Amino acid sequence: EDQVTQSPEALRLQEGESSSLNCSYTVSGLRGLFWYRQDPGKGPEFLFTLYSAGEEKEKERLKATLTKKESFLHITAPKPEDSATYLCAVQALRGNEKLTFGTGTRLTIIP
Amino acid sequence: DAGVTQSPTHLIKTRGQQVTLRCSPKSGHDTVSWYQQALGQGPQFIFQYYEEEERQRGNFPDRFSGHQFPNYSSELNVNALLLGDSALYLCASSRLYGGQETQYFGPGTRLLVL
C-alpha cells in the first residue's frame, strides 16, 4: 500500500530563516509526486508536480526536489505569508489516479 | 477561468440524516475525485468519477455514494450520518488523458454532524 510520511509535523521559523520540509514515500511505481499548500479551512492549492528522481522545480521562494525515496520542499528567506500547511501526495503508476497524502507540515513564519 | 467550485460551504446535520454535496470541475476537466479531510489529517480518497462511472474507490463504506452528470459536475451523497463523518469534504478535478493528471481542489464543504 502507498504511504507518505511528512516531517516535521510543525515548524516555526523567523522571517528570512531558510529551511526544508521532508516527504518520504513508498509506492509501487511512482507516476508523480505533488506538493500542495493549504490555508486553514480552505482547499489545497497546487504548487508542484515531480515525476522522476533528480527533478527540481521552483516557484518564488519555494523549490521542490525528488529522489527515489523522498522529496524536499526548500523554503528560502520565507515571509509571514508563506505560513500554511504544506501537503505532499503521491500518485502510483498502476492505473490509479488517486492521490495518497501525508498529514502535512504546519509552517509558521514569525515576523 | 473559474476554478473548482463546491456547494454548500458549510453544513450542519444530525446523526442518521443524509447529505448531498455538489462540485463543478475546472473548465476543460472531465474527472472528479472526492476526498475527506479530518481535522489535522491529510485528505483521504473516497472515489473518482469519469464518464459518469465510478472509476476507483477508496476504503469508505457504501454509505458514501456519488454521481457524475453529463456536464462533468458531481455529487457526493452520505447516508445514515455518523459523528465521525464530520470533516472537510474536498472535490478535485483533472483531465484523465492528455498529460493533465494534476488534481485541482475546490474550497471544500465543511460538514458537522451533531
Side-chain angles (χ1 to χ4, degrees):
Chain A
E1 186 166 327
D2 306 337
Q3 279 195 316
V4 176
T5 302
Q6 292 188 246
S7 63
E9 288 187 10
L11 183 62
R12 291 170 63 89
L13 299 172
Q14 292 291 329
E15 184 173 358
E17 181 185 359
S18 301
S19 188
S20 296
L21 314 183
N22 177 264
C23 170
S24 298
Y25 65 91
T26 55
V27 63
S28 53
L30 180 70
R31 172 179 289 186
L33 184 141
F34 301 81
W35 282 98
Y36 290 86
R37 169 197 168 122
Q38 187 174 28
D39 292 306
K42 298 191 176 180
E45 174 189 346
F46 171 70
L47 293 174
F48 304 109
T49 308
L50 302 167
Y51 295 101
S52 56
E55 189 174 0
E56 299 183 353
K57 287 194 177 171
E58 287 189 64
K59 179 181 178 179
E60 295 181 356
R61 297 176 291 281
L62 300 176
K63 183 167 90 171
T65 62
L66 181 65
T67 73
K68 288 187 177 179
K69 292 185 178 181
E70 55 192 350
S71 177
F72 292 93
L73 185 65
H74 307 277
I75 302 177
T76 302
K79 298 181 178 182
E81 54 262 40
D82 295 321
S83 297
T85 295
Y86 290 85
L87 294 166
C88 171
V90 296
Q91 191 177 59
L93 263 177
R94 59 181 182 273
N96 288 343
E97 274 69 45
K98 73 171 187 177
L99 296 176
T100 299
F101 280 87
T103 54
T105 293
R106 189 172 66 254
L107 177 66
T108 303
I109 308 300
I110 304 161
Chain B
D1 175 26
V4 180
T5 60
Q6 292 186 243
S7 63
T9 55
H10 295 84
L11 208 49
I12 300 175
K13 292 286 188 179
T14 56
R15 280 180 299 173
Q17 285 190 311
Q18 177 263 344
V19 69
T20 297
L21 310 182
R22 295 176 177 81
C23 171
S24 291
K26 189 176 165 66
S27 177
H29 286 183
D30 56 14
T31 303
V32 172
S33 303
W34 287 92
Y35 294 82
Q36 180 195 66
Q37 187 176 25
L39 209 57
Q41 300 298 311
Q44 297 291 315
F45 177 75
I46 303 174
F47 42 53
Q48 184 182 80
Y49 277 83
Y50 171 71
E51 290 190 338
E52 302 179 50
E53 295 286 334
E54 183 182 290
R55 191 167 177 276
Q56 264 189 278
R57 189 177 184 91
N59 190 24
F60 279 79
D62 291 344
R63 299 187 297 109
F64 290 77
S65 63
H67 189 77
Q68 186 180 33
F69 299 94
N71 67 352
Y72 308 118
S73 67
S74 177
E75 287 182 349
L76 164 66
N77 300 291
V78 187
N79 293 323
L81 284 167
L82 303 174
L83 295 180
D85 294 331
S86 295
L88 181 67
Y89 287 85
L90 296 163
C91 166
S93 76
S94 57
R95 187 163 183 84
L96 193 60
Y97 301 105
Q100 298 186 42
E101 68 280 356
T102 296
Q103 294 183 19
Y104 292 86
F105 285 83
T109 294
R110 173 72 64 185
L111 173 65
L112 178 61
V113 182
L114 301 176

